[in-house]
Amino acid sequence: MRRFEGYGVMITGAARGIGAATAHRFAAEGAQVAVTDVDGRAAEKTAAGIREQGGVARAFTCDVGSRESVEAAVAAAVEEFGRLDVLVNNAYACAPDAARFEDEPDDVWARDLDVTLTGAYRCCRAALPHLVASGRGAIVSVGSVNGLQDYGNHAYSAAKAGLGSLTRTLAGHAGPRGVRVNLVAPGTVRTPAWSGRGAALDAVSGLYPLGRVGEPEDIAAAVTFLASPDAAWITGVTLPVDGGLTSANLGFRTQLA
């Protein structure tokens, strides 16, 4: 099934993990994919892998913390593909919490919010005119269950919750202009961010009703669904893709058993 034949798609943070899996999924369904990342060399590696599989992909260096870098990447993608139909906001920053909340430094808080939330804002602002012009524009942001419940990481969680709010307000603004805006909220996903922590992933797997943590491909499937014509009457929603984590508390049940 090639739902994105002729589409131009831009994905941030696409060099690895969820972003890379999403880039591969879009390309496999016919899209021309702009693989963007602050690590341009890693982005090119992902794009090259897509091309080796017969897909169409170009890599662009993009620092979502810079308005100039974002606007240049959007312009380059539009010039390369002749259009932009889908924006996927996937780039994020997540610093460990200080032991005590009152010891959290301002710069750590500011960076998590700037990359994760304000970075998505910068990308939406730059891409929106092109998404409107496409006549089938869609924005899908990658949030987190951290934006829905408490799983730690104060700044990251606040930024992901903010993405949910931005999704709703932008959906109301962009809907009459023909652009849909949605968000996917993943649970724990086996990405390079968990490298060397396999035991921790195994430990939390039992807290998921479906008995496992997620894979990047699980999130890519949800992102492409929300970006596709199959979701033509869906906008402004947050879709948890979390193996049932936010719908059930297995740890609590186990303690009562």
Side-chain angles (χ1 to χ4, degrees):
M1 181 167 55
R2 295 173 66 85
R3 294 176 293 181
F4 300 103
E5 197 73 49
Y7 278 58
V9 176
M10 175 175 166
I11 306 170
T12 66
R16 53 184 64 84
I18 291 171
T22 302
H24 276 274
R25 179 66 182 256
F26 271 109
E29 294 199 40
Q32 305 170 96
V33 183
V35 178
T36 78
D37 200 281
V38 68
D39 185 342
R41 184 172 298 180
E44 174 53 39
K45 184 176 180 180
T46 296
I50 290 171
R51 293 194 295 270
E52 288 172 4
Q53 295 176 1
V56 178
R58 281 288 310 277
F60 301 101
T61 301
C62 180
D63 176 4
V64 299
S66 161
R67 178 173 184 169
E68 292 75 17
S69 181
V70 166
E71 291 180 348
V74 169
V78 172
E79 181 177 3
E80 178 71 20
F81 303 140
R83 60 186 304 121
L84 185 63
D85 302 280
V86 177
L87 168 68
V88 178
N89 292 308
N90 176 66
Y92 74 95
C94 180
D97 285 338
R100 300 189 306 171
F101 183 80
E102 58 266 36
D103 295 330
E104 292 280 348
D106 283 1
D107 60 339
V108 171
W109 175 273
R111 173 165 171 73
D112 277 15
L113 265 70
D114 186 59
V115 174
T116 308
L117 177 57
T118 310
Y121 156 73
R122 293 185 184 103
C123 292
C124 291
R125 179 177 58 191
L128 189 56
H130 304 287
L131 299 175
V132 171
S134 83
R136 58 188 181 190
I139 297 171
V140 183
S141 296
V142 179
S144 171
V145 293
N146 284 57
L148 306 176
Q149 295 182 7
D150 171 29
Y151 299 102
N153 297 107
H154 303 297
Y156 170 81
S157 298
K160 292 297 192 180
L163 272 180
S165 179
L166 178 61
T167 294
R168 292 185 292 273
T169 59
L170 188 53
H173 170 81
R177 303 170 70 187
V179 178
R180 296 181 302 104
V181 187
N182 292 294
L183 181 139
V184 171
T188 309
V189 178
R190 194 185 307 275
T191 69
W194 289 89
S195 179
R197 301 176 64 194
L201 289 178
D202 291 340
V204 300
S205 293
L207 299 177
Y208 283 83
L210 292 184
R212 66 173 177 88
V213 299
E215 300 296 337
E217 292 75 17
D218 293 319
I219 312 308
V223 171
T224 51
F225 163 67
L226 287 175
S228 77
D230 293 333
W233 210 45
I234 301 175
T235 195
V237 307
T238 291
L239 174 64
V241 185
D242 63 358
L245 181 68
T246 55
S247 67
N249 189 329
L250 293 193
F252 185 80
R253 286 189 178 205
T254 300
Q255 292 301 313
L256 293 178

